[in-house]
Amino acid sequence: MMVYIGFVLILTQGGIVRRIAPKLGEKRTAFIGLLFVSIGLAVLAPASTVTMLYVGLGIMALGSGLCSPTLTALVSLYSDKKDQGKALGAFRSIGSLGRAIAPIIAGYVFWRLGSDILYWAGAIIVFASSILALQLPKSVSPQK
């Protein structure tokens, strides 16, 4: 399963993102990625077969591969040139904190409410994030 997810991420980040991000823009690519993550979680919620599991994981990995590099790019693009390092450091630190805390919260929800509630909650949270991504200002000029 981890090899499958890794393979989808490699194809997405190595082949798809660098081709579509310049055409669609980072904001739109991040939005699409977050939308795919949300859909993937929604597919995983009721998954009762191995096929559904891998379809959900594939959609989620595709979305993660799209939004991860483009969200980082957006942080860089929206930061003043002199503050880019600080902004990117804060972004990475918050991400690390989330990766440390989220499994604890998710484990609690999983054991108390079940996996379907956990995945639906994740899908809703990520969908809300995708809507917030649409609220970003329209034009961002690359820093020199």
Side-chain angles (χ1 to χ4, degrees):
M1 183 169 51
M2 298 307 284
V3 171
Y4 171 69
I5 292 169
F7 186 67
V8 172
L9 286 170
I10 288 168
L11 290 175
T12 303
Q13 291 180 347
I16 297 172
V17 172
R18 64 186 177 144
R19 288 184 177 94
I20 68 166
K23 293 175 186 170
L24 299 178
E26 285 82 4
K27 178 182 150 183
R28 188 179 229 175
T29 306
F31 167 75
I32 293 167
L34 289 167
L35 207 54
F36 273 112
V37 171
S38 182
I39 293 167
L41 288 167
V43 170
L44 287 172
S48 59
T49 65
V50 173
T51 301
M52 282 184 69
L53 171 71
Y54 277 92
V55 168
L57 288 174
I59 295 169
M60 197 172 73
L62 173 66
S64 181
L66 289 172
C67 69
S68 183
T70 52
L71 288 173
T72 302
L74 284 170
V75 169
S76 177
L77 291 170
Y78 281 110
S79 301
D80 288 334
K81 188 176 180 180
K82 63 181 174 130
D83 294 328
Q84 280 182 335
K86 187 162 103 177
L88 287 167
F91 177 71
R92 299 291 296 182
S93 294
I94 291 168
S96 294
L97 181 63
R99 285 186 292 279
I101 294 173
I104 296 166
I105 296 168
Y108 178 81
V109 172
F110 179 88
W111 290 110
R112 289 297 222 176
L113 303 174
S115 63
D116 54 341
I117 298 294
L118 175 65
Y119 286 117
W120 281 117
I124 291 166
I125 290 167
V126 176
F127 181 75
S129 299
S130 71
I131 299 303
L132 289 174
L134 287 177
Q135 305 305 312
L136 292 170
K138 290 187 185 212
S139 63
V140 178
S141 59
Q143 302 286 330
K144 295 189 176 164

